[in-house]
Amino acid sequence: MKKKNNHTFFSKVLLFVMITVMTGFLSSCSEDIDESNLYTFTGETIEDYLANRDDKYSNFNYILTRIGYDKILSAYGTYTCFAPNNEAVTKYVDSLYQDMSNADLPHNGMTGQGLEGLTDSLCRDIALFHLLYSEVMGVDMNNGMTIATMLGRDINTSIDSISGQIVLNNYSLVTTMDNELENGVLHEIDHVITRSNNLMAGEISKHEEFSLFTQALSVTGLIDSLNLQERGGLITPKKFCNKAQSGKIFIPKVCKYGYTIFAETDEVLKANGINSLDDLFEFAKKTYANSADANGWYDYYRNNGIKVSTERDYQNAANVLNMFVRYHILKYSVPYNKMFYTYSQSQKAPVYEYLETMLPYTLMKMSRVNSKPLLNRWVTNSTLTDRMAEMASDNITTVMREGIEVGKDNIQSLNGYIHPINGMLVYDFNVPHGVLNERMRFDDSSLLPELMSSGLRCKSPAEVKAENGGTFDSFGGNGNMRLPENFCEYLKVYNGDNTEIYYLGGQDCGWANYQGDEILNLGTYDFALRLPPVPDGTYELRMGYSANGNRGMLQFYLGRTNVVSSMQALDIPLDMRVVPKDEKSADGTVIIPDAVTGWSLYTNYEDLGVESDANMRNLGYMRGPMCFYYGSTISRGYAGDLRRIITRQQFEQGDYWLRFKTVLPNNTNTEFHLDYIEFCPENVYNNSQYLEDMY
């Protein structure tokens, strides 16, 4: 490992000055380099390291120099460089020139063979796909991670099964790690990191192992619906409360679209007796033909009188084959390494996500079991318990379905991911009545597809700072960002800039938040959030939040659309400023719970708070769950972490919008805080035999 050189005090002062000078330069990513802003270090920078080893890296350095990034990598900053050796670059450039697959762009646009034949555009794409704005060490990549590059595209890391070395995008081995330099770290790799410039349709068509699934995508016409990449036209925020600094806050300039496909390989289909498109159609017919009948389980189609077609009209959205394919597709991009978020999570707690598919208003569940992601794993009584605390004991749970494992291949297209699965994925009777018949908890960011497709979900402070040109707004921690009011389709703002929408990634911040992140709105806020679609049933709708004196007071409204006139007020306003306090009687023998919420420390009771839980519920509140921590304190034991029971009522599978409106219109600095949403079915919260578990 290469050690960093020591600097004199004077050098350190110069470095500090250069941070300020370089900030605007780096944030603009300008190709026109202002050399007066650069500082030459006495030790090796990343550029020095490359230039001083010309026999190894001259080809890659040529590419960097063509677009001026040799200057950037000579300057102050904190970067990561994945440097392919000369042989790797030569082999890759030759492959680009020999590629004639695109008749409209032969040779990938190269003007000749060799490095000199590369266009500036190709040089830029190659260079920026090997550079990061922040420092990533080998230990960070060991367990698999998804890394945002300067190109705005992701690199996925994994461990090569043969060599045991770190591999990037399933292709490029890291041969030398952790060369620590003055302005970051350099890792040598044996191949140029591959990236696909195909959209989802083009990428899946390249993979013969999905030939039958690709046929189904094609005949249903769904293959042509996966082409969106990004949209501009975002409304630039103009108004900022005094808690946030408009010149420093990170504001996304582009909203990205994305898709995820979970696809059975031909081998998996064959193992299930499916060898042709006709076979797959017959399978889909058996699965979905009766799903919307009077006794069917697809509530949305049944409730709206939509007739399922078993004819060959494959492009009909209600055709059985079309339904089969739609249930495999998400309208947001999810890499393998970001299928779960477990920041500050208890090791005892189950890890899961609920994913909305392109089959209208349907969900699938993804569970992590023994480090494997499994789709639609079904466990009876999964959120009930026969104990005073913790999860259900084994004698009341039965694994009815092991779940379908998602492969690690991480096939990446320009606008999404394709993941192989090892079983038949269907929305059958047992999904709404078994898999989803439990308390369902949705992290705030999982409700907003754009946060995931744009790579913003749970973004670390270092990543946000780097992407924001090396600066940040100290409000809410380094990892916060301001979202334009029209950034998210499922978040409707009613009063323009008076509702300031912030998303805080929360990683490394130690907040009392499930998965670490939160949505925080400031101002005289008035907005609505589309709720996740759940199967028909009576549910308790809850919101998890963190109370403190900076919060505001709000009224909830619920409606089937986001039109204000269609919404009805729910319950009395919630005062999020109230942080519960319990007391003891003068003789210390009686615990006096908080008068407003009923909260008291659960460990003070022999039954671990079971009886007092019921008292809190009567007041419309619940303690936080036992699945995550605030520092070293479990959320259930932290007074500031609460769940508000918003309503108990019948929900139908379809659209519901929850509106949040401040009742303190004269206070422009109050905060609205959202951590997660829960839907809890009646047979869980009102079970006559078991208790809802504390997780």
Side-chain angles (χ1 to χ4, degrees):
M1 179 181 293
K2 190 169 182 69
K3 300 295 184 183
K4 294 184 179 180
N5 294 330
N6 291 325
H7 291 284
T8 63
F9 174 77
F10 181 67
S11 297
K12 291 180 180 179
V13 172
L14 283 177
L15 297 184
F16 176 76
V17 172
M18 284 307 302
I19 297 175
T20 305
V21 176
M22 288 300 299
T23 294
F25 167 74
L26 291 175
S27 63
S28 67
C29 291
S30 173
E31 306 289 347
D32 300 319
I33 308 300
D34 181 0
E35 296 189 27
S36 65
N37 285 343
L38 304 180
Y39 173 73
T40 302
F41 296 90
T42 56
E44 283 190 311
T45 63
I46 291 175
E47 170 57 25
D48 291 334
Y49 187 89
L50 295 170
N52 292 340
R53 293 155 184 79
D54 218 37
D55 59 322
K56 229 178 187 183
Y57 303 115
S58 60
N59 289 347
F60 184 60
N61 207 25
Y62 169 87
I63 293 172
L64 292 171
T65 303
R66 278 275 301 272
I67 62 168
Y69 268 71
D70 58 326
K71 303 293 196 305
I72 288 181
L73 297 179
S74 296
Y76 181 85
T78 305
Y79 308 107
T80 298
C81 174
F82 295 105
N85 57 39
N86 285 341
E87 182 183 353
V89 174
T90 298
K91 184 177 179 180
Y92 180 73
V93 172
D94 286 347
S95 72
L96 289 178
Y97 187 76
Q98 293 164 11
D99 180 13
M100 299 294 289
S101 60
N102 186 345
D104 297 324
L105 196 67
H107 307 297
N108 286 285
M110 289 181 64
T111 58
Q113 198 161 9
L115 286 170
E116 291 76 11
L118 290 170
T119 62
D120 288 346
S121 176
L122 279 172
C123 286
R124 183 181 183 278
D125 284 0
I126 294 168
L128 299 192
F129 199 54
H130 289 74
L131 300 175
L132 316 180
Y133 281 119
S134 56
E135 193 172 79
V136 173
M137 306 299 291
V139 67
D140 301 319
M141 298 184 282
N142 269 332
N143 293 322
M145 67 183 303
T146 297
I147 311 168
T149 68
M150 288 189 185
L151 188 61
R153 302 276 301 276
D154 289 342
I155 291 173
N156 295 282
T157 78
S158 56
I159 300 297
D160 181 65
S161 59
I162 298 174
S163 67
Q165 294 172 280
I166 293 170
V167 62
L168 311 177
N169 282 7
N170 298 318
Y171 186 70
S172 303
L173 284 176
V174 179
T175 54
T176 304
M177 285 193 308
D178 296 349
N179 295 293
E180 293 188 76
L181 302 164
E182 292 295 343
N183 57 349
V185 61
L186 180 144
H187 309 285
E188 182 183 332
I189 56 178
D190 70 343
H191 288 86
V192 171
I193 307 171
T194 56
R195 67 194 186 285
S196 172
N197 288 321
N198 294 313
L199 297 174
M200 291 292 280
E203 187 60 31
I204 196 169
S205 298
K206 285 173 51 182
H207 292 266
E208 294 181 359
E209 67 270 31
F210 301 118
S211 64
L212 193 48
F213 189 88
T214 303
Q215 286 183 55
L217 265 177
S218 181
V219 299
T220 56
L222 291 168
I223 201 165
D224 298 321
S225 66
L226 309 177
N227 295 326
L228 295 178
Q229 297 180 64
E230 60 181 44
R231 63 177 169 87
L234 301 179
I235 299 173
T236 303
K238 297 181 178 63
K239 187 175 180 181
F240 292 82
C241 294
N242 59 24
K243 292 184 179 183
Q245 303 171 51
S246 60
K248 293 185 176 181
I249 194 77
F250 172 57
I251 303 173
K253 301 298 188 295
V254 173
C255 178
K256 292 185 179 181
Y257 294 109
Y259 306 92
T260 302
I261 298 177
F262 298 106
E264 295 92 349
T265 63
D266 291 352
E267 182 180 357
V268 169
L269 293 172
K270 184 177 180 180
N272 286 273
I274 300 170
N275 298 288
S276 66
L277 189 66
D278 282 343
D279 290 344
L280 186 56
F281 172 68
E282 290 301 323
F283 175 87
K285 188 189 298 186
K286 290 178 183 177
T287 304
Y288 289 104
N290 300 319
S291 60
D293 292 353
N295 296 318
W297 60 92
Y298 188 11
D299 304 323
Y300 174 72
Y301 272 21
R302 186 188 63 246
N303 295 342
N304 290 277
I306 299 173
K307 180 176 175 57
V308 174
S309 170
T310 57
E311 304 300 321
R312 301 279 175 162
D313 54 342
Y314 296 138
Q315 297 196 14
N316 176 358
N319 174 273
V320 289
L321 184 62
N322 197 297
M323 293 169 67
F324 173 84
V325 175
R326 283 178 181 272
Y327 192 64
H328 289 69
I329 307 173
L330 314 180
K331 289 181 71 174
Y332 44 92
S333 178
V334 184
Y336 185 89
N337 298 322
K338 290 190 175 181
M339 289 181 177
F340 302 107
Y341 296 85
T342 57
Y343 177 75
S344 193
Q345 188 133 347
S346 166
Q347 292 184 352
K348 295 181 180 180
V351 178
Y352 53 83
E353 289 280 335
Y354 298 96
L355 312 172
E356 184 173 356
T357 82
M358 281 184 65
L359 183 61
Y361 303 106
T362 62
L363 299 171
M364 65 174 74
K365 182 182 179 182
M366 182 181 291
S367 308
R368 190 176 73 182
V369 180
N370 297 324
S371 300
K372 297 177 181 179
L374 302 176
L375 296 176
N376 284 347
R377 178 179 172 84
W378 175 20
V379 181
T380 61
N381 296 323
S382 56
T383 52
L384 291 166
T385 182
D386 56 353
R387 313 179 196 177
M388 287 190 297
E390 300 193 10
M391 295 174 289
S393 57
D394 292 340
N395 66 326
I396 71 165
T397 62
T398 303
V399 178
M400 304 296 290
R401 283 183 179 175
E402 289 290 342
I404 299 168
E405 185 176 349
V406 180
K408 294 182 178 181
D409 289 15
N410 238 342
I411 301 167
Q412 185 180 13
S413 75
L414 190 60
N415 61 341
Y417 286 90
I418 303 157
H419 302 292
I421 54 177
N422 73 348
M424 301 301 296
L425 180 62
V426 294
Y427 186 75
D428 61 8
F429 178 89
N430 292 318
V431 175
H433 294 279
V435 177
L436 303 178
N437 187 24
E438 61 184 13
R439 177 193 60 233
M440 291 176 279
R441 182 176 298 135
F442 300 83
D443 183 64
D444 50 8
S445 56
S446 73
L447 305 176
L448 303 173
E450 296 86 352
L451 290 183
M452 290 175 279
S453 295
S454 299
L456 303 179
R457 184 178 183 185
C458 291
K459 209 171 184 69
S460 72
E463 290 174 317
V464 174
K465 183 177 179 180
E467 198 163 334
N468 201 35
T471 187
F472 60 85
D473 188 316
S474 59
F475 164 63
N478 303 358
N480 61 330
M481 59 192 77
R482 173 76 182 270
L483 298 181
E485 65 178 82
N486 62 338
F487 189 83
C488 298
E489 179 185 356
Y490 294 156
L491 199 155
K492 171 70 174 177
V493 174
Y494 297 113
N495 58 350
D497 245 3
N498 290 316
T499 297
E500 299 181 29
I501 311 164
Y502 294 86
Y503 174 68
L504 284 63
Q507 307 307 295
D508 307 320
C509 293
W511 297 324
N513 288 338
Y514 176 59
Q515 299 187 6
D517 63 344
E518 65 183 58
I519 291 173
L520 190 72
N521 287 3
L522 299 178
T524 53
Y525 53 83
D526 187 2
F527 70 100
L529 180 72
R530 177 186 176 269
L531 295 174
V534 294
D536 283 11
T538 300
Y539 293 88
E540 199 168 70
L541 173 63
R542 309 161 179 167
M543 182 185 82
Y545 71 99
S546 178
N548 68 50
N550 296 319
R551 308 297 193 213
M553 190 173 181
L554 70 140
Q555 178 65 54
F556 294 107
Y557 300 81
L558 185 68
R560 297 303 304 265
T561 73
N562 60 19
V563 177
V564 169
S565 60
S566 72
M567 296 183 171
Q568 300 295 318
L570 299 173
D571 204 6
I572 61 174
L574 168 65
D575 193 341
M576 303 176 82
R577 300 168 297 182
V578 175
V579 179
K581 288 184 178 180
D582 60 3
E583 300 177 356
K584 288 191 176 181
S585 59
D587 60 4
T589 59
V590 178
I591 301 168
I592 305 173
D594 177 71
V596 175
T597 66
W599 189 92
S600 53
L601 186 60
Y602 76 100
T603 54
N604 287 332
Y605 298 94
E606 289 185 4
D607 67 354
L608 296 179
V610 170
E611 184 177 348
S612 62
D613 280 344
N615 295 332
M616 285 189 70
R617 289 176 55 78
N618 290 334
L619 294 171
Y621 290 90
M622 295 177 66
R623 294 180 172 93
M626 290 184 70
C627 66
F628 63 95
Y629 290 89
Y630 172 49
S632 59
T633 302
I634 200 76
S635 176
R636 180 172 168 81
Y638 172 53
D641 199 86
L642 295 166
R643 284 178 277 184
R644 172 70 166 192
I645 300 171
I646 299 172
T647 185
R648 299 184 188 98
Q649 66 173 66
Q650 174 75 19
F651 284 85
E652 292 183 350
Q653 192 174 32
D655 272 325
Y656 284 88
W657 288 76
L658 184 63
R659 180 186 177 197
F660 311 88
K661 187 178 188 301
T662 182
V663 295
L664 302 173
N666 297 321
N667 190 336
T668 61
N669 284 313
T670 57
E671 302 174 356
F672 166 82
H673 176 273
L674 172 63
D675 188 8
Y676 56 89
I677 291 288
E678 287 182 352
F679 273 96
C680 188
E682 186 175 27
N683 67 293
V684 174
Y685 74 77
N686 194 28
N687 194 287
S688 60
Q689 187 175 3
Y690 302 119
L691 293 171
E692 180 183 347
D693 70 44
M694 296 179 182
Y695 282 84

